[in-house]
Amino acid sequence: MSIRWRLTLWFGLALGVAAILAALFFYAAIQNWVISVRVDTRLSVYSALTRDELSGGTEDSIDYDLAVATLPSLGYSDPDHPDSTIWVQLADADGNVLARSNNLGDQVLPVVSGEKVPMTASGGTLRILPYYFEANGQTYQLAFAQSLSSVNSTLVTMGIALLLIVVVFVTLATASVAIMIGRALSPVKKVTATAQSIASSSDLSRRVNYRGSKDEIGQLAATFDQMIEQLDWLMRSQRSFVADASHELRGPLTVIRGNVDLLKRNLREEDRSESIRVLETEMTRMTRVVNDLLVLAEVESGQLDREQTVSLKELLLDAHERALLLAGGRQVVIERQEDLWVKGDAHRLDQLIGNLVGNAIKYTPERGTVTLSLYQDGGWARLDVADTGVGIPAEHLPHIFERFYRVDKAHSRRSGGSGLGLAIVKGIAEQHGGKVSVTSEPGKGSTFSVWLRL
């Protein structure tokens, strides 16, 4: 059963139960009102008139002899409303009927004992109001009664009408809700259809493009579109990654294969030595690419191998010492070095700083300067690596952290770069809940900034 019909069924059941309970409450209230207001009030009025007539002029006292003599002529009938007839009966404490009104005919009212308020008798068809008085040293019961046949018939008719109203109301309301639920769930159907279309065609360019209200259904549709957008980006990124990795490895493999073929021939010693040197160079390059790919895969998994309290100042000083050995004629200076500690993987963070410093040295000319800074910026530890190198053109800045992306491809290949260093930096920063950015001006240099949560 679909969710639409399940929701409709549950709504119909809940509404039906609520409507039936409301109808029962209304029926009971009407029944109580009709009996207590119409019947009991009428019985009380005629009871008071009869007692007054049988009192013999004595207040609050009934003349027994007068009651026995007069009672047959009492009783109150309405020719237009036979069910409104009032019957009167006198009985002693043992339940013996001593006198009764003529309108009772051959009937005898049930004698109730101990009751002093109106009550229903004879299976709900009779309403009796008893009154007790003392005479001749005995207790007598003067009972006033009215038939409930007309009232019960009216209540039955009203009950049937209420039942029909409940059935019609619940049916119409349930049908209306089924239509509204169908309309409300139409975006879900569209999401399902889009998902099925994507699954069958592998076309991740399709979207739901929901234009309705921003309720839960709208949020579901928007979230689905965002998920497909991310999947589409991931798939395109994966295809690009595979193509780039294949391209990066194809060159060294081609060179290696060519030199291996040369080595099979009778070469002069100097040519053989050159081929071996080229083989070693390309194998080193391939090893670097493969190692960087493995590192990037580990970093982009989002999992930290170990988490410890790391001193960024110590990592910065270690990176500075290593940079001095590689700087040549370049200056590597530390501008600020605050003592900051973060939670993370010391090896990965050291790799992050090393990649940034190495990248700055690579693109800074002789007699240029690489400046390192570590300081607190709000709730973040900020690491800046600035250089006075060639800079990065503005059109390349949005892509600088992409895998295998190179601004100067010829220079990068000559220097042995794999094009993965900055992608690894970005991955490590995000792995630690941080971020990385770059500002640059061609001909003046670049500044890479990393923020890590303190």
Side-chain angles (χ1 to χ4, degrees):
M1 182 182 293
S2 67
I3 187 173
R4 173 187 179 183
W5 293 114
R6 287 203 303 270
L7 289 175
T8 302
L9 177 61
W10 281 111
F11 174 83
L13 289 175
L15 183 62
V17 171
I20 290 173
L21 292 177
L24 290 175
F25 176 79
F26 179 75
Y27 179 87
I30 293 297
Q31 182 185 46
N32 181 69
W33 180 84
V34 170
I35 293 177
S36 63
V37 174
R38 293 187 58 186
V39 178
D40 291 351
T41 299
R42 195 163 182 270
L43 288 174
S44 297
V45 169
Y46 284 109
S47 174
L49 291 174
T50 302
R51 295 199 313 267
D52 183 66
E53 186 175 346
L54 298 179
S55 63
T58 303
E59 188 176 358
D60 296 332
S61 176
I62 293 180
D63 188 328
Y64 172 77
D65 295 329
L66 180 61
V68 173
T70 308
L71 198 59
S73 62
L74 298 180
Y76 308 94
S77 302
D78 186 350
D80 297 329
H81 301 87
D83 288 334
S84 298
T85 299
I86 303 297
W87 298 310
V88 186
Q89 176 178 280
L90 177 65
D92 59 18
D94 296 328
N96 299 314
V97 178
L98 304 176
R100 54 185 176 171
S101 58
N102 289 331
N103 58 6
L104 269 172
D106 295 333
Q107 300 179 71
V108 176
L109 299 177
V111 178
V112 295
S113 59
E115 297 292 339
K116 296 183 179 181
V117 296
M119 60 170 297
T120 302
S122 300
T125 61
L126 197 65
R127 188 71 171 174
I128 300 176
L129 174 61
Y131 175 77
Y132 301 91
F133 66 93
E134 299 287 338
N136 304 323
Q138 295 187 25
T139 299
Y140 296 93
Q141 181 191 86
L142 190 62
F144 300 85
Q146 179 180 333
S147 173
L148 294 178
S149 298
S150 177
V151 173
N152 290 338
S153 178
T154 302
L155 290 174
V156 169
T157 302
M158 186 187 70
I160 294 174
L162 283 175
L163 180 60
L164 291 176
I165 291 172
V166 167
V167 171
V168 172
F169 170 73
V170 171
T171 301
L172 292 177
T174 302
S176 301
V177 168
I179 295 173
M180 290 187 291
I181 291 176
R183 292 179 179 177
L185 292 178
S186 59
V188 177
K189 290 184 178 180
K190 192 172 182 181
V191 170
T192 303
T194 303
Q196 291 173 343
S197 175
I198 293 173
S200 60
S201 64
S202 300
D203 181 11
L204 293 177
S205 64
R206 299 198 57 180
R207 301 291 183 271
V208 177
N209 293 324
Y210 179 68
R211 295 294 181 266
S213 59
K214 301 300 181 181
D215 54 10
E216 289 82 354
I217 300 297
Q219 294 175 6
L220 172 63
T223 302
F224 179 82
D225 279 350
Q226 292 174 2
M227 181 186 69
I228 296 300
E229 182 71 27
Q230 293 178 354
L231 287 175
D232 188 23
W233 180 86
L234 288 174
M235 291 296 292
R236 285 186 281 107
S237 177
Q238 183 183 35
R239 287 193 292 267
S240 176
F241 174 73
V242 171
D244 290 340
S246 300
H247 179 73
E248 289 295 323
L249 296 175
R250 186 183 296 116
L253 287 173
T254 301
V255 174
I256 290 173
R257 182 174 181 178
N259 281 274
V260 169
D261 289 340
L262 286 176
L263 290 174
K264 292 178 181 179
R265 303 175 184 177
N266 294 322
L267 298 177
R268 294 178 303 172
E269 187 61 31
E270 57 269 22
D271 292 335
R272 183 179 296 275
S273 299
E274 177 63 17
S275 293
I276 293 175
R277 185 192 65 79
V278 170
L279 285 174
E280 290 177 345
T281 301
E282 295 303 322
M283 289 177 64
T284 301
R285 179 183 168 191
M286 285 185 61
T287 301
R288 183 181 297 109
V289 172
V290 172
N291 288 338
D292 285 347
L293 285 173
L294 291 175
V295 170
L296 186 60
E298 293 175 1
V299 168
E300 291 186 344
S301 69
Q303 300 289 335
L304 285 173
D305 292 337
R306 55 187 176 276
E307 186 172 342
Q308 53 198 151
T309 302
V310 182
S311 172
L312 293 179
K313 180 180 178 180
E314 292 183 4
L315 295 181
L316 184 68
L317 294 175
D318 290 343
H320 178 252
E321 291 181 3
R322 293 195 300 269
L324 292 176
L325 300 175
L326 302 173
R330 308 168 186 87
Q331 287 187 329
V332 182
V333 298
I334 297 179
E335 187 175 68
R336 299 175 64 179
Q337 48 173 324
E338 296 182 8
D339 191 12
L340 301 178
W341 298 72
V342 296
K343 290 285 188 179
D345 187 329
H347 174 69
R348 292 292 185 219
L349 292 174
D350 182 60
Q351 193 172 21
L352 179 151
I353 299 174
N355 281 4
L356 287 178
V357 174
N359 197 66
I361 293 174
K362 184 189 305 181
Y363 291 98
T364 300
E366 293 290 331
R367 295 184 299 278
T369 303
V370 175
T371 304
L372 311 181
S373 299
L374 175 63
Y375 56 96
Q376 183 172 349
D377 185 0
W380 300 85
R382 177 169 175 175
L383 171 68
D384 289 340
V385 178
D387 62 65
T388 58
V390 295
I392 304 171
E395 65 270 18
H396 294 287
L397 290 178
H399 309 285
I400 198 68
F401 295 104
E402 294 178 4
R403 293 170 294 194
F404 295 113
Y405 189 85
R406 295 183 177 90
V407 177
D408 183 354
K409 295 180 172 56
H411 179 271
S412 298
R413 293 185 187 279
R414 286 196 306 269
S415 62
S418 65
L420 296 173
L422 292 180
I424 292 174
V425 168
K426 180 175 180 289
I428 293 175
E430 292 178 348
Q431 187 183 38
H432 287 75
K435 55 186 177 180
V436 59
S437 67
V438 58
T439 58
S440 183
E441 185 174 352
K444 293 187 177 181
S446 306
T447 300
F448 287 84
S449 299
V450 178
W451 285 267
L452 297 173
R453 181 71 69 180
L454 290 173

